[in-house]
């Protein structure tokens, strides 16, 4: 499946289609992660995905995590989807701090273009004044502050951290792009070997818990790949809405970049 080699300060996960060797190569890749990652930094990476509906590819997505200074990171997710006459382009960005396996969002932004009206949302998390500001409101959002707040991207990093700790019940107060406070609850429902374009991967299967049975969401995280999100499925009333699956994965050397803000 993958292994990591060092070249010009870049660790690249090379892909092989030999599915019988995928698990072994993934383990080798984990062992060769940069020393600073093993010492406590988050793994910096670029992951590319196919976006599918009913088995047909209708788009691509890229997820990228970068370290911007000591303890702070930026996660971006950019998707491009076309289906019949519908088109959708989205870019989400979350800046957050990381300390002792805890993710604390600092800002979130989402831009959407395509069929229908363009949209833009921003959030600013202010732990000093214990408030959240949104471009959808002139005033700070009206709810009590929580040190466990997550945004629509940062929670995915927190899920990975808690899966590494062996947790099976996960819950977060999440401020969504429109500034609404919601509860995101998940449970681990098992492990399974799944087939991806990069080969066979053993993954932890996580289910999102909703207040009703109309909506379903499942996610698979691969321990052999530092608990990377390798597949996501969403549906309604048992009917698939879309599926996202990993098709390539690159680990980059952690480099601290001066923050010029």
């Amino acid at each position: 499946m993958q292994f990591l080699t060092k070249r010009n300060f870049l660790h690249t996960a090379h892909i092989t289609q030999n599915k019988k060797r995928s698990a072994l190569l993934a383990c080798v890749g984990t062992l060769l992660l940069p020393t600073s990652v093993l010492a406590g930094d988050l793994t910096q990476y670029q992951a590319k995905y196919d976006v599918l509906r009913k088995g047909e590819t209708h788009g691509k997505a890229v997820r990228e995590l970068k370290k911007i200074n000591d303890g702070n990171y930026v996660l971006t997710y950019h998707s491009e989807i076309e289906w019949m006459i519908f088109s959708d382009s989205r870019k989400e960005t979350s800046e957050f701090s990381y300390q002792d396996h805890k993710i604390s969002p600092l800002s979130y932004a989402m831009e959407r273009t395509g069929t229908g009206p363009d949209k833009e949302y921003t959030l600013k998390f202010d732990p000093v004044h214990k408030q959240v500001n949104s471009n959808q409101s002139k005033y700070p959002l009206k709810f009590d502050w929580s040190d466990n707040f997550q945004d629509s991207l940062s929670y995915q990093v927190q899920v990975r951290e808690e899966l590494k700790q062996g947790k099976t019940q996960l819950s977060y107060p999440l401020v969504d792009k429109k500034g609404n406070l919601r509860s995101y609850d998940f449970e681990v429902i098992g492990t399974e070997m799944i087939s991806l374009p990069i080969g066979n991967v053993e993954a932890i299967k996580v289910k999102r818990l909703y207040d009703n049975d109309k909506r379903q969401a499942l996610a698979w995280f691969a321990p052999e790949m530092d608990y990377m999100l390798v597949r996501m499925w969403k549906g309604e009333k048992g009917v698939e809405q879309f599926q996202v699956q990993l098709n390539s994965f690159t680990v980059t050397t952690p480099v601290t970049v001066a923050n010029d803000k």
Side-chain angles (χ1 to χ4, degrees):
M1 184 188 107
Q2 66 163 1
F3 56 92
L4 305 183
T5 58
K6 187 172 183 179
R7 182 186 304 168
N8 296 326
F9 302 101
L10 183 67
H11 293 253
T12 304
H14 297 282
I15 303 304
T16 174
Q17 295 300 319
N18 187 339
K19 296 184 178 181
K20 293 182 180 180
R21 298 175 59 201
S22 62
L24 174 61
L25 293 177
C27 290
V28 173
T30 301
L31 292 174
L32 293 180
L33 285 172
T35 302
S36 55
V37 170
L38 299 179
D41 284 345
L42 291 174
T43 304
Q44 295 181 75
Y45 65 85
Q46 182 185 79
K48 296 183 179 181
Y49 300 84
D50 295 323
V51 182
L52 303 98
R53 181 181 171 86
K54 296 182 179 180
E56 295 186 4
T57 301
H58 291 285
K60 302 289 183 182
V62 178
R63 185 187 304 272
E64 190 167 11
L65 180 65
K66 293 183 177 180
K67 187 175 184 179
I68 56 173
N69 58 34
D70 189 21
N72 285 12
Y73 295 79
V74 169
L75 176 64
T76 58
Y77 183 74
H78 186 197
S79 62
E80 297 278 351
I81 301 171
E82 292 187 3
W83 182 55
M84 300 178 68
I85 62 172
F86 173 81
S87 67
D88 186 277
S89 175
R90 299 186 183 212
K91 183 175 181 180
E92 294 178 87
T93 304
S94 174
E95 181 178 342
F96 60 86
S97 64
Y98 172 68
Q99 186 175 11
D100 297 329
H101 305 289
K102 180 177 173 58
I103 306 300
S104 300
L106 302 171
S107 65
Y108 170 84
M110 194 276 269
E111 298 177 10
R112 186 268 176 197
T113 59
T115 306
D118 296 346
K119 296 181 180 180
E120 182 175 349
Y121 303 95
T122 62
L123 295 171
K124 297 289 185 182
F125 294 81
D126 184 351
V128 175
H129 298 96
K130 298 186 181 300
Q131 61 188 28
V132 182
N133 293 283
S134 166
N135 68 335
Q136 303 298 300
S137 172
K138 294 181 180 179
Y139 307 100
L141 299 178
K142 295 181 179 180
F143 41 68
D144 292 335
W145 174 264
S146 170
D147 289 334
N148 295 317
F149 275 155
Q150 298 296 332
D151 65 42
S152 297
L153 274 185
S154 67
Y155 84 90
Q156 298 173 13
V157 189
Q158 188 65 59
V159 167
R160 291 176 61 200
E161 290 302 297
E162 295 188 15
L163 289 177
K164 293 175 187 178
Q165 299 169 32
K167 294 184 179 181
T168 58
Q169 299 289 327
L170 316 171
S171 184
Y172 315 107
L174 184 143
V175 184
D176 70 15
K177 61 181 182 291
K178 295 182 180 180
N180 300 311
L181 181 60
R182 305 169 66 183
S183 178
Y184 269 39
D185 305 305
F186 305 87
E187 69 174 2
V188 174
I189 58 176
T191 61
E192 63 182 33
M193 188 70 71
I194 61 174
S195 180
L196 298 171
I198 58 174
N200 291 340
V201 178
E202 186 173 30
I204 297 173
K205 189 176 182 179
V206 178
K207 177 182 180 180
R208 182 174 169 192
L209 304 177
Y210 290 99
D211 337 358
N212 56 62
D213 296 330
K214 292 182 179 179
R215 292 184 294 169
Q216 301 91 34
L218 298 168
W220 288 259
F221 298 84
E224 295 170 344
M225 301 172 67
D226 195 33
Y227 291 79
M228 179 59 53
L229 175 66
V230 294
R231 175 182 285 173
M232 182 171 61
W233 182 95
K234 285 193 175 183
E236 187 168 350
K237 297 180 180 179
V239 178
E240 179 186 88
Q241 292 179 315
F242 69 89
Q243 181 177 174
V244 178
Q245 62 180 18
L246 184 73
N247 67 33
S248 73
F249 177 58
T250 300
V251 176
T252 56
T253 302
V255 176
T256 300
V257 179
N259 189 353
D260 55 3
K261 291 183 179 180

